[in-house]
Amino acid sequence: MKISYHYLGLALAILVGIGLRFWNLDFKPLWLDEVITALMSLGRSYNDVPLQQLLPIERVRQIFTLNPTATCPQIASNLVAQSTHPPLFFCLMHAKVAAWGTHYQTLSNDLRSLPALFGVGAIAAIYYLNRIAFSKTSGLTAAAVMAVSPFGVYLSQEARHYTLPVLLITLSLLALIHIQQDIQKQRFRLSVWLAWVAVNSIGFYVHYFFILAYIAQIVTLFCLLYKVNLSHQSIDFSRKETQRQAECLPHKRTGRSLLNILPAHLHTRTPAHLHLIITFCLLPLIFFLPWLPLMLGDLGRPETNWIPLPNNILPFFQTLLGWILMVVALPVESYPLPIAIPAVILMILLGIWLFLQSFKGLKQLWQTPETHSSTWTLLCFTACVLLQFFAIVYLMGKDITVVPRYNFVYYPAISALLAASLIVPTDGKMGAIKKFIFLPASPCPPVFSLTPSPTFTRLCLVLLVGFISCIFVVYDLAFQKPYNPQEVAKNMNVDPALPLAVVMGYNDYQDVALGLSFGLALDKIRDEKIAGTYLAFYERSPNYLSVLQSLSQMSPPTTSQLNLWLVIPGLKPKDYPSNLPLSGATNCNIDLTQHHRLGIPYQLYRCE
């Protein structure tokens, strides 16, 4: 009965996670980064996008079709030339769409389904992580917490390489916990180390930020070795002192009791197989050497210039906000103040309450011998990742804390610690803590029973808040897509019966991807049988005036009227000319009532 209830709860958590991650998967249009994923994964590149000309939307659709002849080396070559990412995820995505097929009408669903599947896999992985680190009950709680995490659902519904490293980091932490337990038991299991090397080696080729997780694991591992060594030295000193006292006492009184009070495997001062440990720690880095020069070349590319400079201590508050968003995410982006302010206050209050509750639980886990080492390992890993984040922020001058999605590096560790701390009894009674560590005698674990205990109430509140937050995420009310292509397309489609052209002034490939995202969003809401939709890209070099010069030579569609939207990042309202002449005696006049700014400015011109 215990086993049945336990695995029934795990199956329920996974089913909820599947439902939330695949729910409304194609509801939101692809945004800039997802357009990059689409191009590279379909075997395309920016070379397939015609520039300096007006494109009908039919031509844009052709760009987002599968290139069946593309290979993984070709995809890697495109990434080297036109992006800043390692190739493995994009190769996997290409293999998936090639095997299962894809259509333009279902492109969003086809691209996001694989990350959603990896997100479900992370739920199962964190169950085993907490089961090994703490208890079966803790593993079940961790699966439930991650299943309804709005941050987890947000990452899973992104056609990007975030959920795969989340899964791999969770698996690497699982192997790290096994290694930690082996070090304490003075044993060396080759299978565990091979699994750890394999997972970390794969992770390097999925996302560059995986290197931060690898460094944090290495630091944690050697701190653990040092900690165990100090403990052994202290034990050896105690044994010598005990032996010295025993030699001073009569033989009959000492006997063998004082000399054998400690386990024999704790006599060694230094860990066994230390040379093997160092070798295995270096193997993932050695396997990454072929791609390392390319990664170093990506560091100074203009595609990373969008990350802002740090603003005093603001990165610390943004980090705290990122932690809150892992549990609760309410509608606050682009909403009126009467809605946003109460939502922010409620999120902060819930965050403070949850911090106090988890702090009490972590304190108990830290003070309990059976859970101290696992708690220490996960906390040390998290602290090392955060230190690297702040080093990037303040030493490299790139405030990556403004982007919550980058918190995926330590998201599994936070989820594991949060789940364990929520259900551990905080009354300080060792008997209650023993119930947490080992399965209770009753068929149904007390955490998931109908008894309204404080632990049960606390967990239910967290899961309920998380579930509601996931609904907001699924319907694009929270964790809204950057640059919000859906809202931009709605604003641009002010006259559905008139032909519409979007002119994008680009400076790099990311601007091209941004313009394509607007075109895809417009295509979802416009009826081509009523009026046509067009897209054009003109280079803004050396400045925006070159775009205006190119426009004067653009041949407009043969229609009596045309709505032309001029999108030039960084252009100020005063810089927009009042009149745009096009070739063929077509004249466009500015509509001052239709100027918008959502991340970037865009202005309407009415052409006749």
Side-chain angles (χ1 to χ4, degrees):
M1 288 292 292
K2 281 192 293 186
I3 294 176
S4 299
Y5 277 114
H6 180 79
Y7 289 105
L8 181 62
L10 177 61
L12 179 61
I14 293 178
L15 286 175
V16 170
I18 292 174
L20 290 174
R21 281 152 181 78
F22 284 89
W23 184 14
N24 268 358
L25 202 56
D26 60 349
F27 177 75
K28 293 163 277 192
L30 299 174
W31 71 285
L32 186 157
D33 281 10
E34 292 179 306
V35 168
I36 298 174
T37 299
L39 286 174
M40 299 300 168
S41 300
L42 292 172
R44 304 288 180 178
S45 70
Y46 292 107
N47 298 329
D48 295 299
V49 183
L51 306 176
Q52 306 297 126
Q53 58 180 289
L54 194 65
L55 306 175
I57 199 65
E58 293 83 4
R59 181 68 183 89
V60 176
R61 293 171 187 165
Q62 295 173 9
I63 298 172
F64 291 93
T65 56
L66 178 66
N67 177 12
T69 62
T71 62
C72 188
Q74 181 181 343
I75 293 174
S77 178
N78 291 336
L79 287 166
V80 170
Q82 300 179 348
S83 189
T84 57
H85 302 293
L88 184 55
F89 171 79
F90 300 92
C91 292
L92 290 175
M93 183 75 81
H94 179 78
K96 183 263 180 187
V97 295
W100 293 89
T102 183
H103 303 281
Y104 177 78
Q105 292 77 11
T106 61
L107 183 62
S108 300
N109 186 84
D110 296 338
L111 293 176
R112 291 169 178 162
S113 57
L114 185 62
L117 188 61
F118 288 139
V120 175
I123 298 174
I126 203 168
Y127 162 78
Y128 283 103
L129 171 61
N130 268 35
R131 173 170 177 159
I132 299 300
F134 300 107
S135 70
K136 289 184 177 180
T137 306
S138 179
L140 192 57
T141 307
V145 168
M146 183 173 279
V148 298
S149 167
F151 183 70
V153 172
Y154 156 65
L155 293 183
S156 298
Q157 294 198 333
E158 285 271 291
R160 295 296 285 166
H161 48 334
Y162 298 127
T163 52
L164 179 54
V166 166
L167 171 60
L168 294 173
I169 290 171
T170 307
L171 293 175
S172 66
L173 288 175
L174 173 61
L176 186 64
I177 291 295
H178 276 295
I179 292 171
Q180 163 241 308
Q181 295 173 352
D182 288 348
I183 289 175
Q184 292 178 318
K185 296 178 181 179
Q186 291 291 298
R187 66 182 181 185
F188 184 93
R189 286 185 292 175
L190 181 61
S191 58
V192 173
W193 277 100
L194 289 176
W196 183 85
V197 170
V199 170
N200 281 275
S201 301
I202 294 172
F204 281 7
Y205 287 93
V206 174
H207 199 289
Y208 288 146
F209 275 22
F210 197 98
I211 297 175
L212 304 180
Y214 164 77
I215 294 174
Q217 291 177 78
I218 296 297
V219 173
T220 300
L221 180 60
F222 280 93
C223 286
L224 178 65
L225 290 171
Y226 179 75
K227 182 173 178 286
V228 171
N229 188 37
L230 284 181
S231 175
H232 290 170
Q233 289 181 7
S234 176
I235 292 172
D236 286 346
F237 177 80
S238 299
R239 290 185 60 85
K240 290 180 180 179
E241 182 65 19
T242 302
Q243 186 175 6
R244 186 188 65 81
Q245 294 179 5
E247 292 173 353
C248 298
L249 295 176
H251 177 72
K252 291 183 179 180
R253 292 185 59 185
T254 58
R256 47 190 289 269
S257 58
L258 291 177
L259 294 177
N260 297 287
I261 59 174
L262 297 176
H265 69 271
L266 295 180
H267 297 180
T268 309
R269 291 190 178 186
T270 58
H273 310 290
L274 183 59
H275 61 288
L276 285 177
I277 291 176
I278 296 175
T279 301
F280 278 107
C281 286
L282 293 175
L283 282 179
L285 191 60
I286 294 173
F287 292 146
F288 188 62
L289 286 178
W291 194 267
L292 184 60
L294 300 175
M295 185 199 74
L296 296 177
D298 288 338
L299 294 178
R301 291 179 59 136
E303 288 88 343
T304 63
N305 291 339
W306 63 269
I307 303 177
L309 295 172
N311 185 2
N312 297 324
I313 63 171
L314 189 59
F316 292 96
F317 293 102
Q318 291 168 166
T319 300
L320 294 176
L321 176 61
W323 297 353
I324 295 176
L325 290 174
M326 294 180 184
V327 182
V328 54
L330 302 180
V332 296
E333 303 166 273
S334 305
Y335 283 93
L337 292 180
I339 297 177
I341 291 178
V344 169
I345 294 175
L346 182 58
M347 288 175 60
I348 292 175
L349 292 177
L350 285 171
I352 294 174
W353 172 82
L354 188 59
F355 173 79
L356 295 176
Q357 297 297 318
S358 59
F359 179 79
K360 293 178 182 178
L362 287 174
K363 184 179 178 180
Q364 289 291 347
L365 293 172
W366 183 273
Q367 295 175 346
T368 305
E370 290 85 353
T371 57
H372 171 78
S373 295
S374 296
T375 306
W376 183 92
T377 300
L378 294 175
L379 283 174
C380 185
F381 169 83
T382 305
C384 290
V385 173
L386 288 173
L387 286 176
Q388 293 177 86
F389 267 45
F390 290 123
I392 294 173
V393 170
Y394 290 107
L395 298 182
M396 299 180 63
K398 293 186 179 295
D399 187 6
I400 59 175
T401 63
V402 302
V403 187
R405 60 181 179 270
Y406 288 155
N407 293 333
F408 76 86
V409 180
Y410 59 92
Y411 169 62
I414 290 287
S415 299
L417 290 169
L418 175 63
S421 65
L422 282 177
I423 63 170
V424 62
T426 57
D427 55 8
K429 296 179 180 179
M430 185 56 66
I433 298 175
K434 291 289 186 182
K435 280 188 176 182
F436 160 77
I437 299 171
F438 304 103
L439 277 178
S442 60
C444 186
V447 172
F448 297 95
S449 68
L450 298 180
T451 306
S453 64
T455 301
F456 177 76
T457 304
R458 180 170 64 239
L459 180 60
C460 284
L461 178 60
V462 172
L463 297 180
L464 178 62
V465 169
F467 185 83
I468 295 173
S469 299
C470 290
I471 296 176
F472 292 139
V473 174
V474 166
Y475 282 97
D476 202 25
L477 302 176
F479 280 116
Q480 292 181 339
K481 298 295 184 184
Y483 302 106
N484 207 333
Q486 191 170 15
E487 186 67 21
V488 172
K490 180 182 177 182
N491 293 335
M492 287 182 173
N493 194 34
V494 62
D495 297 315
L498 292 181
L500 184 151
V502 177
V503 175
M504 185 78 193
Y506 73 92
N507 190 46
D508 52 34
Y509 290 133
Q510 288 187 322
D511 290 339
V512 175
L514 181 61
L516 288 171
S517 71
F518 294 157
L520 294 175
L522 280 167
D523 195 28
K524 291 188 70 173
I525 63 175
R526 285 180 59 83
D527 189 349
E528 290 301 300
K529 296 179 181 179
I530 298 176
T533 305
Y534 303 87
L535 199 60
F537 299 94
Y538 293 105
E539 188 174 9
R540 63 177 199 270
S541 176
N543 52 47
Y544 75 95
L545 294 177
S546 62
V547 178
L548 304 182
Q549 179 65 28
S550 300
L551 270 175
S552 64
Q553 304 172 9
M554 184 185 80
S555 299
T558 56
T559 57
S560 59
Q561 289 181 298
L562 173 70
N563 280 354
L564 187 148
W565 286 91
L566 188 59
V567 185
I568 302 181
L571 194 63
K572 299 178 181 179
K574 64 182 180 62
D575 294 328
Y576 287 96
S578 60
N579 182 271
L580 288 177
L582 307 182
S583 65
T586 301
N587 193 49
C588 303
N589 296 311
I590 191 170
D591 186 344
L592 295 176
T593 64
Q594 292 295 329
H595 177 81
H596 302 272
R597 183 179 183 87
L598 195 59
I600 60 169
Y602 49 104
Q603 173 67 56
L604 172 63
Y605 286 81
R606 298 188 181 273
C607 307
E608 294 183 356

